[in-house]
Amino acid sequence: MAKPFQPKYEPSRHLLDFHIAGFTYYDGLDVINELTLGKPVTLVAEPDNPTDSEAIALYYHKHKLGYVPAAKNELISKLLYFGYGAFLEARIQYMNKETHPERQFRVVVKLKDNRN
């Protein structure tokens, strides 16, 4: 008798996800129609930020969208500080333009799959 198919266990690449903090204060409205599901965004450390030395800004091209919320930025801050940013990918995961601006966009951060 043939064994049933058993998929190989594959760990998740997911590190964290969050709503963009401060979206209303930066350039999000300038590019809101370009921000669609799956669009990549860039994580940029701001160690000289006067309110949070672990601040991580989010950019879409040259437009600052806001920040990783302070409660979720510690791991990403460490990875960027020690030069592991190339192992991360961040993308728009969710959008609802009809809700409060601070809840309109969610970003997911995953580990890149560098296996051959």
PDB file of all heavy atoms in Angstrom, residues 45-68:
ATOM      1  N   ALA A  45      17.697  52.112   8.996  1.00  0.00           N
ATOM      2  CA  ALA A  45      17.962  52.399  10.406  1.00  0.00           C
ATOM      3  C   ALA A  45      18.206  53.894  10.593  1.00  0.00           C
ATOM      4  O   ALA A  45      18.821  54.542   9.748  1.00  0.00           O
ATOM      5  CB  ALA A  45      19.168  51.608  10.885  1.00  0.00           C
ATOM      6  N   GLU A  46      17.698  54.416  11.702  1.00  0.00           N
ATOM      7  CA  GLU A  46      17.932  55.815  12.073  1.00  0.00           C
ATOM      8  C   GLU A  46      18.513  55.856  13.483  1.00  0.00           C
ATOM      9  O   GLU A  46      17.859  56.277  14.434  1.00  0.00           O
ATOM     10  CB  GLU A  46      16.631  56.619  12.016  1.00  0.00           C
ATOM     11  CG  GLU A  46      16.118  56.911  10.640  1.00  0.00           C
ATOM     12  CD  GLU A  46      14.926  57.863  10.630  1.00  0.00           C
ATOM     13  OE1 GLU A  46      14.439  58.276  11.705  1.00  0.00           O
ATOM     14  OE2 GLU A  46      14.494  58.196   9.524  1.00  0.00           O
ATOM     15  N   PRO A  47      19.784  55.428  13.651  1.00  0.00           N
ATOM     16  CA  PRO A  47      20.373  55.378  15.005  1.00  0.00           C
ATOM     17  C   PRO A  47      20.497  56.746  15.661  1.00  0.00           C
ATOM     18  O   PRO A  47      20.597  56.831  16.890  1.00  0.00           O
ATOM     19  CB  PRO A  47      21.741  54.745  14.766  1.00  0.00           C
ATOM     20  CG  PRO A  47      22.031  54.971  13.322  1.00  0.00           C
ATOM     21  CD  PRO A  47      20.704  54.995  12.623  1.00  0.00           C
ATOM     22  N   ASP A  48      20.454  57.830  14.883  1.00  0.00           N
ATOM     23  CA  ASP A  48      20.541  59.176  15.448  1.00  0.00           C
ATOM     24  C   ASP A  48      19.164  59.793  15.697  1.00  0.00           C
ATOM     25  O   ASP A  48      19.071  60.976  16.028  1.00  0.00           O
ATOM     26  CB  ASP A  48      21.344  60.092  14.513  1.00  0.00           C
ATOM     27  CG  ASP A  48      22.788  59.636  14.385  1.00  0.00           C
ATOM     28  OD1 ASP A  48      23.322  59.049  15.351  1.00  0.00           O
ATOM     29  OD2 ASP A  48      23.377  59.857  13.321  1.00  0.00           O
ATOM     30  N   ASN A  49      18.109  59.006  15.554  1.00  0.00           N
ATOM     31  CA  ASN A  49      16.759  59.505  15.792  1.00  0.00           C
ATOM     32  C   ASN A  49      16.661  59.989  17.247  1.00  0.00           C
ATOM     33  O   ASN A  49      16.996  59.245  18.169  1.00  0.00           O
ATOM     34  CB  ASN A  49      15.747  58.389  15.521  1.00  0.00           C
ATOM     35  CG  ASN A  49      14.323  58.843  15.638  1.00  0.00           C
ATOM     36  OD1 ASN A  49      13.878  59.286  16.674  1.00  0.00           O
ATOM     37  ND2 ASN A  49      13.587  58.699  14.554  1.00  0.00           N
ATOM     38  N   PRO A  50      16.223  61.235  17.476  1.00  0.00           N
ATOM     39  CA  PRO A  50      16.229  61.788  18.831  1.00  0.00           C
ATOM     40  C   PRO A  50      15.253  61.130  19.799  1.00  0.00           C
ATOM     41  O   PRO A  50      15.434  61.235  21.013  1.00  0.00           O
ATOM     42  CB  PRO A  50      15.870  63.263  18.621  1.00  0.00           C
ATOM     43  CG  PRO A  50      15.205  63.325  17.297  1.00  0.00           C
ATOM     44  CD  PRO A  50      15.765  62.197  16.477  1.00  0.00           C
ATOM     45  N   THR A  51      14.233  60.444  19.305  1.00  0.00           N
ATOM     46  CA  THR A  51      13.276  59.823  20.219  1.00  0.00           C
ATOM     47  C   THR A  51      13.447  58.313  20.367  1.00  0.00           C
ATOM     48  O   THR A  51      12.948  57.733  21.320  1.00  0.00           O
ATOM     49  CB  THR A  51      11.823  60.110  19.780  1.00  0.00           C
ATOM     50  OG1 THR A  51      11.632  59.627  18.459  1.00  0.00           O
ATOM     51  CG2 THR A  51      11.534  61.599  19.835  1.00  0.00           C
ATOM     52  N   ASP A  52      14.159  57.678  19.431  1.00  0.00           N
ATOM     53  CA  ASP A  52      14.332  56.225  19.504  1.00  0.00           C
ATOM     54  C   ASP A  52      15.589  55.831  18.726  1.00  0.00           C
ATOM     55  O   ASP A  52      15.593  55.873  17.492  1.00  0.00           O
ATOM     56  CB  ASP A  52      13.111  55.517  18.931  1.00  0.00           C
ATOM     57  CG  ASP A  52      13.172  53.996  19.032  1.00  0.00           C
ATOM     58  OD1 ASP A  52      14.182  53.466  19.542  1.00  0.00           O
ATOM     59  OD2 ASP A  52      12.211  53.343  18.585  1.00  0.00           O
ATOM     60  N   SER A  53      16.633  55.429  19.422  1.00  0.00           N
ATOM     61  CA  SER A  53      17.893  55.059  18.756  1.00  0.00           C
ATOM     62  C   SER A  53      17.766  53.773  17.944  1.00  0.00           C
ATOM     63  O   SER A  53      18.649  53.457  17.153  1.00  0.00           O
ATOM     64  CB  SER A  53      19.011  54.918  19.780  1.00  0.00           C
ATOM     65  OG  SER A  53      18.726  53.873  20.693  1.00  0.00           O
ATOM     66  N   GLU A  54      16.669  53.027  18.129  1.00  0.00           N
ATOM     67  CA  GLU A  54      16.433  51.805  17.349  1.00  0.00           C
ATOM     68  C   GLU A  54      15.400  52.036  16.248  1.00  0.00           C
ATOM     69  O   GLU A  54      14.898  51.090  15.656  1.00  0.00           O
ATOM     70  CB  GLU A  54      15.986  50.672  18.265  1.00  0.00           C
ATOM     71  CG  GLU A  54      17.074  50.241  19.229  1.00  0.00           C
ATOM     72  CD  GLU A  54      16.683  49.056  20.083  1.00  0.00           C
ATOM     73  OE1 GLU A  54      15.483  48.889  20.385  1.00  0.00           O
ATOM     74  OE2 GLU A  54      17.580  48.293  20.444  1.00  0.00           O
ATOM     75  N   ALA A  55      15.108  53.288  15.947  1.00  0.00           N
ATOM     76  CA  ALA A  55      14.087  53.615  14.944  1.00  0.00           C
ATOM     77  C   ALA A  55      14.452  53.047  13.576  1.00  0.00           C
ATOM     78  O   ALA A  55      15.604  53.101  13.150  1.00  0.00           O
ATOM     79  CB  ALA A  55      13.914  55.131  14.843  1.00  0.00           C
ATOM     80  N   ILE A  56      13.444  52.491  12.909  1.00  0.00           N
ATOM     81  CA  ILE A  56      13.593  51.955  11.556  1.00  0.00           C
ATOM     82  C   ILE A  56      12.544  52.639  10.681  1.00  0.00           C
ATOM     83  O   ILE A  56      11.342  52.433  10.857  1.00  0.00           O
ATOM     84  CB  ILE A  56      13.370  50.425  11.505  1.00  0.00           C
ATOM     85  CG1 ILE A  56      14.279  49.700  12.486  1.00  0.00           C
ATOM     86  CG2 ILE A  56      13.542  49.911  10.069  1.00  0.00           C
ATOM     87  CD1 ILE A  56      15.743  49.850  12.221  1.00  0.00           C
ATOM     88  N   ALA A  57      13.008  53.464   9.749  1.00  0.00           N
ATOM     89  CA  ALA A  57      12.110  54.139   8.819  1.00  0.00           C
ATOM     90  C   ALA A  57      11.789  53.220   7.649  1.00  0.00           C
ATOM     91  O   ALA A  57      12.580  52.343   7.296  1.00  0.00           O
ATOM     92  CB  ALA A  57      12.752  55.433   8.313  1.00  0.00           C
ATOM     93  N   LEU A  58      10.630  53.431   7.070  1.00  0.00           N
ATOM     94  CA  LEU A  58      10.186  52.684   5.891  1.00  0.00           C
ATOM     95  C   LEU A  58      10.109  53.634   4.713  1.00  0.00           C
ATOM     96  O   LEU A  58       9.505  54.704   4.815  1.00  0.00           O
ATOM     97  CB  LEU A  58       8.806  52.078   6.134  1.00  0.00           C
ATOM     98  CG  LEU A  58       8.761  51.013   7.207  1.00  0.00           C
ATOM     99  CD1 LEU A  58       7.356  50.837   7.712  1.00  0.00           C
ATOM    100  CD2 LEU A  58       9.297  49.719   6.658  1.00  0.00           C
ATOM    101  N   TYR A  59      10.715  53.231   3.602  1.00  0.00           N
ATOM    102  CA  TYR A  59      10.722  54.048   2.389  1.00  0.00           C
ATOM    103  C   TYR A  59      10.146  53.265   1.224  1.00  0.00           C
ATOM    104  O   TYR A  59      10.358  52.056   1.114  1.00  0.00           O
ATOM    105  CB  TYR A  59      12.147  54.466   2.025  1.00  0.00           C
ATOM    106  CG  TYR A  59      12.679  55.593   2.875  1.00  0.00           C
ATOM    107  CD1 TYR A  59      13.226  55.353   4.124  1.00  0.00           C
ATOM    108  CD2 TYR A  59      12.632  56.909   2.413  1.00  0.00           C
ATOM    109  CE1 TYR A  59      13.711  56.388   4.907  1.00  0.00           C
ATOM    110  CE2 TYR A  59      13.123  57.951   3.183  1.00  0.00           C
ATOM    111  CZ  TYR A  59      13.658  57.675   4.422  1.00  0.00           C
ATOM    112  OH  TYR A  59      14.140  58.707   5.177  1.00  0.00           O
ATOM    113  N   TYR A  60       9.436  53.976   0.377  1.00  0.00           N
ATOM    114  CA  TYR A  60       9.050  53.465  -0.931  1.00  0.00           C
ATOM    115  C   TYR A  60       9.753  54.376  -1.927  1.00  0.00           C
ATOM    116  O   TYR A  60       9.416  55.559  -2.037  1.00  0.00           O
ATOM    117  CB  TYR A  60       7.524  53.502  -1.121  1.00  0.00           C
ATOM    118  CG  TYR A  60       7.103  53.078  -2.492  1.00  0.00           C
ATOM    119  CD1 TYR A  60       7.211  51.754  -2.888  1.00  0.00           C
ATOM    120  CD2 TYR A  60       6.620  54.001  -3.405  1.00  0.00           C
ATOM    121  CE1 TYR A  60       6.842  51.354  -4.159  1.00  0.00           C
ATOM    122  CE2 TYR A  60       6.241  53.613  -4.680  1.00  0.00           C
ATOM    123  CZ  TYR A  60       6.362  52.290  -5.042  1.00  0.00           C
ATOM    124  OH  TYR A  60       5.997  51.898  -6.310  1.00  0.00           O
ATOM    125  N   HIS A  61      10.756  53.840  -2.582  1.00  0.00           N
ATOM    126  CA  HIS A  61      11.675  54.636  -3.408  1.00  0.00           C
ATOM    127  C   HIS A  61      12.270  55.732  -2.513  1.00  0.00           C
ATOM    128  O   HIS A  61      12.846  55.404  -1.490  1.00  0.00           O
ATOM    129  CB  HIS A  61      10.987  55.161  -4.667  1.00  0.00           C
ATOM    130  CG  HIS A  61      10.498  54.053  -5.565  1.00  0.00           C
ATOM    131  ND1 HIS A  61      11.362  53.187  -6.200  1.00  0.00           N
ATOM    132  CD2 HIS A  61       9.251  53.666  -5.906  1.00  0.00           C
ATOM    133  CE1 HIS A  61      10.655  52.314  -6.908  1.00  0.00           C
ATOM    134  NE2 HIS A  61       9.374  52.567  -6.742  1.00  0.00           N
ATOM    135  N   LYS A  62      12.105  56.988  -2.841  1.00  0.00           N
ATOM    136  CA  LYS A  62      12.678  58.073  -2.032  1.00  0.00           C
ATOM    137  C   LYS A  62      11.670  58.670  -1.056  1.00  0.00           C
ATOM    138  O   LYS A  62      11.948  59.668  -0.408  1.00  0.00           O
ATOM    139  CB  LYS A  62      13.217  59.176  -2.943  1.00  0.00           C
ATOM    140  CG  LYS A  62      14.382  58.737  -3.782  1.00  0.00           C
ATOM    141  CD  LYS A  62      14.877  59.862  -4.657  1.00  0.00           C
ATOM    142  CE  LYS A  62      16.046  59.384  -5.511  1.00  0.00           C
ATOM    143  NZ  LYS A  62      16.556  60.450  -6.375  1.00  0.00           N
ATOM    144  N   HIS A  63      10.502  58.062  -0.958  1.00  0.00           N
ATOM    145  CA  HIS A  63       9.423  58.609  -0.136  1.00  0.00           C
ATOM    146  C   HIS A  63       9.358  57.896   1.215  1.00  0.00           C
ATOM    147  O   HIS A  63       9.140  56.687   1.278  1.00  0.00           O
ATOM    148  CB  HIS A  63       8.080  58.465  -0.853  1.00  0.00           C
ATOM    149  CG  HIS A  63       8.036  59.188  -2.150  1.00  0.00           C
ATOM    150  ND1 HIS A  63       7.749  60.529  -2.248  1.00  0.00           N
ATOM    151  CD2 HIS A  63       8.265  58.758  -3.417  1.00  0.00           C
ATOM    152  CE1 HIS A  63       7.797  60.897  -3.508  1.00  0.00           C
ATOM    153  NE2 HIS A  63       8.112  59.838  -4.250  1.00  0.00           N
ATOM    154  N   LYS A  64       9.517  58.662   2.280  1.00  0.00           N
ATOM    155  CA  LYS A  64       9.416  58.101   3.627  1.00  0.00           C
ATOM    156  C   LYS A  64       7.949  57.883   3.959  1.00  0.00           C
ATOM    157  O   LYS A  64       7.135  58.803   3.879  1.00  0.00           O
ATOM    158  CB  LYS A  64      10.045  59.063   4.639  1.00  0.00           C
ATOM    159  CG  LYS A  64      10.156  58.512   6.032  1.00  0.00           C
ATOM    160  CD  LYS A  64      10.908  59.509   6.898  1.00  0.00           C
ATOM    161  CE  LYS A  64      11.296  58.926   8.214  1.00  0.00           C
ATOM    162  NZ  LYS A  64      12.132  59.870   8.974  1.00  0.00           N
ATOM    163  N   LEU A  65       7.615  56.652   4.323  1.00  0.00           N
ATOM    164  CA  LEU A  65       6.231  56.299   4.634  1.00  0.00           C
ATOM    165  C   LEU A  65       5.927  56.387   6.119  1.00  0.00           C
ATOM    166  O   LEU A  65       4.785  56.575   6.511  1.00  0.00           O
ATOM    167  CB  LEU A  65       5.934  54.879   4.146  1.00  0.00           C
ATOM    168  CG  LEU A  65       6.138  54.616   2.659  1.00  0.00           C
ATOM    169  CD1 LEU A  65       5.875  53.150   2.351  1.00  0.00           C
ATOM    170  CD2 LEU A  65       5.260  55.527   1.825  1.00  0.00           C
ATOM    171  N   GLY A  66       6.919  56.213   6.955  1.00  0.00           N
ATOM    172  CA  GLY A  66       6.726  56.179   8.401  1.00  0.00           C
ATOM    173  C   GLY A  66       7.759  55.257   9.014  1.00  0.00           C
ATOM    174  O   GLY A  66       8.881  55.148   8.510  1.00  0.00           O
ATOM    175  N   TYR A  67       7.359  54.549  10.073  1.00  0.00           N
ATOM    176  CA  TYR A  67       8.297  53.745  10.847  1.00  0.00           C
ATOM    177  C   TYR A  67       7.743  52.364  11.202  1.00  0.00           C
ATOM    178  O   TYR A  67       6.533  52.166  11.264  1.00  0.00           O
ATOM    179  CB  TYR A  67       8.611  54.452  12.172  1.00  0.00           C
ATOM    180  CG  TYR A  67       9.478  55.667  12.013  1.00  0.00           C
ATOM    181  CD1 TYR A  67       8.926  56.925  11.832  1.00  0.00           C
ATOM    182  CD2 TYR A  67      10.864  55.556  12.025  1.00  0.00           C
ATOM    183  CE1 TYR A  67       9.717  58.048  11.679  1.00  0.00           C
ATOM    184  CE2 TYR A  67      11.671  56.670  11.873  1.00  0.00           C
ATOM    185  CZ  TYR A  67      11.099  57.903  11.702  1.00  0.00           C
ATOM    186  OH  TYR A  67      11.893  59.015  11.538  1.00  0.00           O
ATOM    187  N   VAL A  68       8.668  51.459  11.496  1.00  0.00           N
ATOM    188  CA  VAL A  68       8.319  50.231  12.206  1.00  0.00           C
ATOM    189  C   VAL A  68       7.925  50.695  13.610  1.00  0.00           C
ATOM    190  O   VAL A  68       8.650  51.499  14.212  1.00  0.00           O
ATOM    191  CB  VAL A  68       9.532  49.271  12.283  1.00  0.00           C
ATOM    192  CG1 VAL A  68       9.196  48.063  13.140  1.00  0.00           C
ATOM    193  CG2 VAL A  68       9.992  48.857  10.894  1.00  0.00           C
TER     194      VAL A  68
END
